[in-house]
Amino acid sequence: MQKKTYKIKGMHCASCAGIIEKTFKKTDGVEFAEVNYGTEAVKITFDEKKVDPHNLSQKIEKLGYSLDLPTAEEMNMSADEHSAHLGMNQSKQEKLSEIKDMKMKVISALPLAVIAIFIMTWDILSQYNIVTMMSPILGNLFHYLLPLMATYTLFVVGKPYLLGFYRFLRYGKANMDSLIGIGTVAAYLYSFTVTAFADVLRPFLNVEHTYFDVTIVVITFIALGKYLEARSKIKTGDAIEKLINLQAKTALVIWEGKEIEVSVNEVKHGDFIIVKPGAKIPVDGVITEGSSFVDESMVTGEPMPAQKKVGNDIVAGTINTTGSFIFKATKVGSETLLAQIIKMVEEAQGSKAPIQALADKISSIFVPIVLVIAFVTLGVWILFGTSTLGFSQALSSGLVSFVAVLIIACPCALGLATPTAIIVGVGKGAKEGILIKDAATLEKLHKVDTVVVDKTGTITVGKPTLVDIQNLSDLKEVEFMSILASLEKKSEHPIADAIGSYAQKKNLKLEEVSNFESIQGKGLKGLIKNIEYYVGNVKLIKDLGVEFDTSKIEQFTVQGKTPVIITTKEKVLGFVMVSDEVKVESKQAITDLHKLGIKIVMLTGDDEKAAKHMAFLVGIDSVVANVLPKDKLKKIKELQSQGKVVAMAGDGVNDAPALAQADVGIAMGTGTDVAIESAGITLLDGDISKLVKAIKLSKITMRGIKQNLFWAFFYNIVGIPLAAGIFYPIFGWLLNPVFAGLAMALSSVSVVSNSLRIKTKKL
């Protein structure tokens, strides 16, 4: 089975999405199809033995749509890039070209609409004696001019709606273009008929009253609305475009001792690449020579450049700010973190949130229902209106209502309500270093009331740091630490890294060590200047029989700190404490989560006293200590059984079972080691404060979706009865199709604009 995402050409409304989706689902060999109107794309799973993309495109071409199937060569991309970013650049250019064409048509139609509105306004005002009747010369001029203007507007600017009408007649598939086509063609044909056969029809109809102006203004307003909607929608994809533009086009590679500038597609694993100040880093890798500060803001969301030196990881798309360095390529093409981010954001923006299901269901049956309502409206006006208003007036009012119902009943706002907000929300998250796997995860997150966190790497830095020095000897502290660091340099234990980092930071002079020996589970020993030193834990000191008051370290161990004791065979010289430090942002993040009404539970494999001390430092509500990964899973299930909506934040590796069980799994990723596939949400630099931002983003996005859906439903619930003339017998209200067209245009634009407001919200 092939699983692909393709852009779709020719989509103009939410009902288009329903038609295409149904067509694909009925196609032999297609297992799954999901069309998203917001992204104008389809996610489809199909059996390549039974059907191929070209066959799929042909299935919908007769209905006025097609799949965008560009080749790698057309996009000037490598096969690797092409598979990762199918259709992105080309569809962007095509969309801009389409928008330009829409703009030209709107510009050509606007003057005609202004003239038509002028005539309509004069006619209405003259009926109330606010202005005098139009002069016969001017009246005759407009009498002959309006049909010409309406013909141009309908057959040139309104061509998509005529095609929609034609496809409805031929294939029985109706979308919004069909409704607008039926309505405007009905108004045009009625007007043309009473104008051409005025003398014959005068005894039966009011031949002075035509609807050429309605055809002109409605099509112009709708074309203007579609143009504004398309222009607004293209802005919703800004985030992914910026991510794609982050990719470097070339790399300065060292080949056979020479610096050669090559396309980034030619870079291979193991290549050594030079990065100069101001240059983009082309692929992921590890620095082998030099150091610098690298701007990682578009990947992690952090504004301050990060210091990078030999041994540090760097990622594609970030920018070198100061010094030059050389790095070894470890990940290229679609393997890079940036490529994974682009893919994840693209998929998330194209996914559907559960809240969208109702809107999709309504949109899919909306057009046929509206057609029925429109024809029933016309029939009711003629049937019941003739007796009170006369046939001529009843037919005229019925036609106005018929056209108004078809024009105003637009499910576009309904179809755009969810996807546009999701696109903007996911894009905003990516800019902040928050990767959201799909729309369903974003929707679930706003309901979370309990956050379960792992200690190591989530609340704490995740690596040992030297935090206390207790020198009990006559040695100076510099000498004391120099001896300790010299011995630990020979060790491979993680604690040795903490002491080594301290020595490097303080520029300590290290001594020559001989007769080094590692003592399994206890420590190590070595000879410095003919003196034998031992470094290790309390067990080692006891084995040596050296006298030591352990109460001196108890005040530290209850805080979760690990003692490293240095001694000779005669006496203890002192000890240092190594601890996994609390992240600077942890306390504020916990405070902010509490403000959102969220309870925090910490699960850790550490000792209970140490864990509770850590929880006290940052303000965590409850602690479950001495737990194994399977126990974490059990605790998540227990909380869920109590009716809690649980988010689990962990490192995405040993917490995988718990992350999978939680309602929302959050991986605390760091740099290139980010576990993108392990959770619903990934916080790129492991910053827990981004968890607060992610929850706020979810709440803002869901609020935007609900606002959009409310106004989309409200608009149709009020608009259709008004257009049908239900209020005419009571208040004398009859909606002019011109205002219906304007309302329809504004509804879609307002929904997209409301979604774009998410960009401006502070997290």
Side-chain angles (χ1 to χ4, degrees):
M1 284 286 179
Q2 286 269 7
K3 189 177 182 181
K4 296 283 186 180
T5 299
Y6 297 111
K7 291 285 179 180
I8 300 173
K9 298 178 187 176
M11 285 182 70
H12 297 114
C13 65
S15 51
C16 293
I19 291 169
I20 296 166
E21 195 169 292
K22 282 179 184 175
T23 304
F24 282 148
K25 284 179 176 177
K26 288 178 183 176
T27 303
D28 186 37
V30 174
E31 185 180 90
F32 170 82
E34 184 181 81
V35 178
N36 189 316
Y37 175 45
T39 56
E40 295 180 9
V42 58
K43 284 184 178 180
I44 190 162
T45 304
F46 59 93
D47 185 345
E48 61 270 31
K49 293 176 184 176
K50 293 183 179 179
V51 67
D52 62 40
H54 293 284
N55 298 144
L56 292 170
S57 187
Q58 288 168 2
K59 288 282 182 184
I60 57 172
E61 278 170 14
K62 64 182 182 182
L63 303 175
Y65 317 105
S66 64
L67 294 183
D68 189 359
L69 303 170
T71 63
E73 291 75 23
E74 285 172 346
M75 293 175 65
N76 194 28
M77 299 173 81
S78 70
D80 199 3
E81 281 185 304
H82 182 246
S83 64
H85 314 303
L86 179 63
M88 283 303 300
N89 293 342
Q90 191 178 42
S91 64
K92 168 81 172 180
Q93 288 305 115
E94 286 186 352
K95 201 69 189 169
L96 288 172
S97 176
E98 185 184 326
I99 289 171
K100 186 179 178 182
D101 182 56
M102 291 167 78
K103 183 180 179 181
M104 295 305 298
K105 286 182 177 177
V106 168
I107 289 171
S108 71
L110 275 173
L112 307 184
V114 169
I115 294 170
I117 290 169
F118 169 75
I119 297 167
M120 289 169 63
T121 306
W122 193 324
D123 187 43
I124 292 167
L125 293 176
S126 66
Q127 289 177 23
Y128 293 97
N129 297 317
I130 296 171
V131 297
T132 58
M133 291 287 290
M134 195 177 290
S135 67
I137 295 172
L138 205 57
N140 280 329
L141 172 66
F142 288 137
H143 179 73
Y144 293 107
L145 187 61
L146 276 174
L148 295 174
M149 289 162 51
T151 301
Y152 169 79
T153 307
L154 180 62
F155 290 94
V156 177
V157 182
K159 187 180 176 182
Y161 314 121
L162 289 177
L163 288 173
F165 185 18
Y166 163 75
R167 291 185 188 108
F168 167 65
L169 294 176
R170 182 165 181 185
Y171 302 110
K173 302 282 187 181
N175 60 13
M176 272 315 300
D177 288 355
S178 310
L179 296 187
I180 296 160
I182 294 167
T184 51
V185 166
Y188 177 84
L189 289 178
Y190 174 84
S191 304
F192 185 84
T193 303
V194 297
T195 302
F197 305 102
D199 293 337
V200 177
L201 296 172
R202 187 170 276 110
F204 311 102
L205 298 171
N206 180 0
V207 294
E208 305 303 322
H209 204 110
T210 60
Y211 299 103
F212 289 122
D213 48 5
V214 168
T215 303
I216 296 164
V217 180
V218 163
I219 287 177
T220 302
F221 276 164
I222 289 168
L224 176 62
K226 290 286 183 188
Y227 164 67
L228 294 174
E229 178 192 312
R231 200 176 69 168
S232 299
K233 267 175 71 180
I234 211 161
K235 290 179 184 176
T236 62
D238 282 352
I240 201 141
E241 186 186 356
K242 286 177 182 175
L243 285 170
I244 289 171
N245 289 338
L246 280 177
Q247 297 171 113
K249 302 293 185 289
T250 60
L252 197 59
V253 183
I254 302 172
W255 282 350
E256 297 179 356
K258 295 179 182 178
E259 294 180 18
I260 302 171
E261 188 170 17
V262 300
S263 166
V264 71
N265 303 323
E266 296 178 57
V267 177
K268 300 178 183 68
H269 293 99
D271 279 346
F272 287 91
I273 301 163
I274 299 171
V275 183
K276 295 181 177 178
K280 284 182 182 177
I281 292 161
V283 296
D284 292 3
V286 179
I287 295 178
T288 57
E289 187 180 320
S291 64
S292 184
F293 283 85
V294 176
D295 179 359
E296 298 180 314
S297 58
M298 273 305 288
V299 177
T300 64
E302 293 302 315
M304 292 299 291
Q307 186 177 16
K308 299 289 181 178
K309 50 193 176 184
V310 175
N312 286 160
D313 293 324
I314 50 171
V315 297
T318 55
I319 300 169
N320 182 27
T321 61
T322 53
S324 297
F325 59 84
I326 298 173
F327 76 94
K328 183 180 181 181
T330 56
K331 292 181 181 178
V332 298
S334 60
E335 300 170 342
T336 65
L337 176 64
L338 181 60
Q340 290 181 63
I341 291 171
I342 292 169
K343 184 182 177 184
M344 187 173 182
V345 171
E346 200 173 359
E347 287 181 354
Q349 288 185 336
S351 63
K352 289 187 179 183
I355 197 172
Q356 191 177 339
L358 178 61
D360 281 353
K361 193 170 183 180
I362 292 172
S363 295
S364 66
I365 60 171
F366 201 79
V367 172
I369 290 172
V370 168
L371 273 171
V372 171
I373 292 172
F375 281 104
V376 168
T377 298
L378 178 60
V380 169
W381 269 102
I382 294 170
L383 189 64
F384 295 101
T386 302
S387 58
T388 54
L389 302 172
F391 177 74
S392 177
Q393 182 61 41
L395 177 62
S396 181
S397 297
L399 186 64
V400 166
S401 297
F402 174 77
V403 175
V405 167
L406 292 175
I407 301 303
I408 203 167
C410 176
C412 294
L414 205 56
L416 287 167
T418 302
T420 52
I422 293 293
I423 290 167
V424 177
V426 168
K428 186 175 177 69
K431 286 182 181 179
E432 295 280 352
I434 302 163
L435 295 188
I436 298 156
K437 198 168 189 178
D438 52 42
T441 299
L442 189 62
E443 181 177 332
K444 280 183 202 168
L445 191 58
H446 90 287
K447 298 176 182 175
V448 166
D449 54 24
T450 305
V451 171
V452 176
V453 294
D454 179 40
K455 180 179 77 71
T456 307
T458 304
I459 299 299
T460 65
V461 175
K463 60 180 181 179
T465 307
L466 196 149
V467 291
D468 286 296
I469 300 171
Q470 297 291 320
N471 180 10
L472 307 176
S473 70
D474 296 330
L475 296 169
K476 291 180 181 177
E477 187 172 296
V478 174
E479 294 175 294
F480 172 76
M481 287 305 301
S482 178
I483 293 168
L484 176 61
S486 300
L487 290 160
E488 288 286 7
K489 189 181 179 183
K490 297 277 188 178
S491 172
E492 295 179 355
H493 196 280
I495 285 176
D497 291 336
I499 295 168
S501 296
Y502 175 87
Q504 192 176 19
K505 189 177 178 182
K506 297 292 184 179
N507 292 316
L508 296 179
K509 181 186 174 184
L510 300 184
E511 305 290 348
E512 190 71 33
V513 178
S514 59
N515 296 343
F516 178 84
E517 185 183 331
S518 178
I519 305 167
Q520 189 68 34
K522 296 173 185 176
L524 54 88
K525 71 174 183 176
L527 206 63
I528 298 176
K529 293 179 181 178
N530 295 320
I531 300 174
E532 192 169 50
Y533 294 97
Y534 293 83
V535 175
N537 54 26
V538 175
K539 286 181 184 177
L540 178 64
I541 305 303
K542 286 181 179 178
D543 287 354
L544 290 170
V546 181
E547 191 176 320
F548 179 61
D549 183 3
T550 55
S551 64
K552 290 180 179 178
I553 63 170
E554 283 176 2
Q555 59 175 315
F556 298 104
T557 55
V558 293
Q559 296 175 11
K561 297 174 183 177
T562 302
V564 179
I565 307 164
I566 180 167
T567 183
T568 62
K569 283 187 176 179
E570 290 77 33
K571 65 173 181 176
V572 171
L573 303 178
F575 59 89
V576 296
M577 284 291 169
V578 174
S579 175
D580 186 2
E581 284 189 296
V582 174
K583 289 181 181 178
V584 290
E585 66 272 12
S586 291
K587 187 171 183 179
Q588 186 58 51
I590 300 300
T591 302
D592 291 340
L593 286 170
H594 282 147
K595 286 178 182 175
L596 292 171
I598 293 169
K599 181 183 176 183
I600 299 94
V601 179
M602 185 169 79
L603 301 184
T604 178
D606 281 3
D607 172 74
E608 189 172 0
K609 285 184 180 178
K612 284 187 174 177
H613 176 76
M614 184 72 70
F616 171 75
L617 289 178
V618 295
I620 286 171
D621 299 298
S622 63
V623 175
V624 182
N626 299 309
V627 294
L628 298 171
K630 64 178 182 180
D631 298 322
K632 292 181 181 181
L633 176 64
K634 187 178 177 183
K635 183 63 180 177
I636 298 288
K637 287 181 177 178
E638 183 186 317
L639 289 166
Q640 289 172 327
S641 69
Q642 295 167 9
K644 307 286 187 186
V645 181
V646 182
M648 166 73 186
D651 62 14
V653 183
N654 64 343
D655 295 317
L659 286 169
Q661 177 62 36
D663 296 289
V664 179
I666 300 163
M668 307 296 289
T670 50
T672 52
D673 295 325
V674 57
I676 285 181
E677 294 301 322
S678 68
I681 291 177
T682 303
L683 308 182
L684 276 182
D685 55 357
D687 183 349
I688 194 173
S689 64
K690 281 187 169 53
L691 173 54
V692 182
K693 289 185 175 182
I695 293 170
K696 285 182 178 177
L697 176 64
S698 175
K699 290 180 182 291
I700 290 167
T701 304
M702 290 309 299
R703 188 158 58 242
I705 289 171
K706 287 172 182 176
Q707 288 167 351
N708 288 347
L709 288 172
F710 170 79
W711 287 111
F713 277 115
F714 179 80
Y715 161 80
N716 282 304
I717 289 166
V718 172
I720 292 174
L722 180 61
I726 285 177
F727 301 109
Y728 183 81
I730 308 167
F731 305 108
W733 294 349
L734 200 60
L735 184 67
N736 191 306
V738 167
F739 294 110
L742 179 61
M744 174 197 161
L746 291 177
S747 67
S748 295
V749 175
S750 63
V751 162
V752 178
S753 300
N754 189 49
S755 294
L756 285 169
R757 285 176 59 241
I758 295 169
K759 281 185 178 182
T760 65
K761 299 291 184 181
K762 188 176 179 182
L763 297 180

